[in-house]
Amino acid sequence: MKVVPFNVPHVSREAFRSQTDGLQHFYDELHAHPEIQIMLILQSEGTLIAGDYVGRFEAGNLFIIGSNLPHVFRNDQIYYHSGKRLKAHSISLYFNQNYLGEHFWQLDEMGPVRSFVEKAGRGLQVYGRTKESVEKEILRISKLQGVEKIISFFEILKLLTASRELKPLSVSHYREGYSESEGKRMNNILQFTFQESHRKIYIDEVASIANLSTEAFCRYFKIRTGKTYTNFLNEVRISNACKLLINEDQSIQDVCFQVGFSNLSNFNRVFKKITGKTPSNYMNKE
């Protein structure tokens, strides 16, 4: 996997790695790492891409990113303005079978954890009481030392392996890797899409960014993501629309045009298809 390989600092004697990030914005390149990541968002919001999933993230969300699952937590554009006093703040726990030794993870008692790790390959969002309990442990864990810290980590694994409050993100497990050049190509596509999604985008524009013919680009993107570029672009636009409908005092029509749709009826149709709600229902939290 070479989708911008991401190295998680690790001490060989650690059972897991705890990392707190407080930045202007999260790392915004599509990337992957062999470790499973349990990530609690404390501050900020934006769009999460994980495998073939595209959706919103915000403060209070808890996600599991599986081993080598390409992903990016892309903050909203406002976080890139240096004059704004905004912060992207999160706590992540990283682990894999190498941290405690492969033999440990193969113990019979670790069977439920191995099943959870397999499930996490698609990426997961944690909800309900499980989220509340795991969040409490994550907030505690950075203050613990020694055996208490390890006990807290295994309590988190226990909560997750027993929970039914886990929603898969990606439709399918991610198996096929990108070459280094393909990883760079996909990042260029994503960055262009995030920055230009507010306007009409022509397929030949994106194909040019990818250094492919229009036909080759359409085929490439569908194979790599499992969806057409138009569908992906609509998901990014709807993600931006969700934020505006909740946080801004704007009409649905204004939001429609602001995020890049040129037709209100099409916006309403696509919005309901992706979110399961009409824009007015979403705005009113129905």
Side-chain angles (χ1 to χ4, degrees), residues 51-52 95 124 176 185 193 227 233 242 273:
D52 57 28
F95 70 97
L124 301 166
E176 188 176 0
R185 172 181 285 159
T193 304
K227 62 185 73 178
L233 175 60
C242 288
K273 180 179 179 181

Side-chain angles (χ1 to χ4, degrees), residues 35-75:
E35 293 84 1
I36 294 120
Q37 180 181 4
I38 303 173
M39 184 173 182
L40 173 64
I41 309 291
L42 298 175
Q43 288 179 266
S44 85
E45 58 186 319
T47 300
L48 166 61
I49 295 176
D52 57 28
Y53 171 82
V54 180
R56 295 292 298 171
F57 71 84
E58 59 185 18
N61 286 163
L62 179 62
F63 295 99
I64 315 293
I65 302 298
S67 175
N68 289 324
L69 179 67
H71 63 281
V72 59
F73 288 85
R74 169 76 185 205
N75 284 113

Side-chain angles (χ1 to χ4, degrees), residues 238-258:
I238 295 303
S239 174
N240 292 333
C242 288
K243 179 211 172 206
L244 295 175
L245 289 171
I246 292 295
N247 299 328
E248 304 289 340
D249 185 19
Q250 299 185 62
S251 70
I252 293 173
Q253 182 170 312
D254 287 342
V255 169
C256 161
F257 296 127
Q258 187 171 332

Side-chain angles (χ1 to χ4, degrees), residues 13-201:
R13 289 173 291 179
E14 288 181 320
F16 65 96
R17 180 74 178 180
S18 175
Q19 180 173 307
T20 300
D21 291 310
L23 311 163
Q24 184 178 348
H25 58 79
F26 291 133
Y27 184 66
D28 60 2
E29 297 277 327
L30 185 71
H31 63 285
H33 39 72
E35 293 84 1
I36 294 120
Q37 180 181 4
I38 303 173
M39 184 173 182
L40 173 64
I41 309 291
L42 298 175
Q43 288 179 266
S44 85
E45 58 186 319
T47 300
L48 166 61
I49 295 176
D52 57 28
Y53 171 82
V54 180
R56 295 292 298 171
F57 71 84
E58 59 185 18
N61 286 163
L62 179 62
F63 295 99
I64 315 293
I65 302 298
S67 175
N68 289 324
L69 179 67
H71 63 281
V72 59
F73 288 85
R74 169 76 185 205
N75 284 113
D76 290 330
Q77 202 61 37
I78 193 170
Y79 286 84
Y80 290 80
H81 299 303
S82 58
K84 302 291 184 179
R85 294 185 178 182
L86 298 173
K87 181 177 286 189
H89 188 194
S90 68
I91 301 175
S92 291
L93 307 181
Y94 296 91
F95 70 97
N96 68 18
Q97 65 181 17
N98 295 324
Y99 277 33
L100 286 171
E102 186 174 351
H103 293 299
F104 176 83
W105 294 102
Q106 295 305 315
L107 292 172
D108 290 342
E109 292 82 357
M110 298 301 291
V113 177
R114 292 195 300 272
S115 296
F116 164 73
V117 167
E118 176 68 17
K119 187 187 300 184
R122 296 166 59 184
L124 301 166
Q125 183 168 3
V126 187
Y127 289 96
R129 292 184 178 180
T130 305
K131 194 209 77 136
E132 294 174 3
S133 299
V134 172
E135 179 178 353
K136 183 178 179 181
E137 288 296 327
I138 290 176
L139 293 173
R140 283 183 66 237
I141 211 165
S142 60
K143 303 173 185 177
L144 300 176
Q145 297 292 329
V147 174
E148 290 298 322
K149 187 173 184 178
I150 295 176
I151 290 173
S152 180
F153 171 65
F154 279 101
E155 178 62 27
I156 290 171
L157 291 184
K158 177 184 175 183
L159 289 165
L160 292 173
T161 56
S163 177
R164 294 184 178 180
E165 297 174 308
L166 307 174
K167 179 183 178 181
L169 299 178
S170 186
V171 171
S172 58
H173 283 74
Y174 192 83
R175 300 294 186 190
E176 188 176 0
Y178 288 109
S179 67
E180 189 170 356
S181 61
E182 286 176 317
K184 183 176 184 299
R185 172 181 285 159
M186 187 59 73
N187 264 309
N188 290 339
I189 294 168
L190 295 183
Q191 296 295 339
F192 172 82
T193 304
F194 281 127
Q195 292 170 13
E196 304 297 330
S197 62
H198 63 279
R199 66 169 177 84
K200 184 174 179 60
I201 293 177

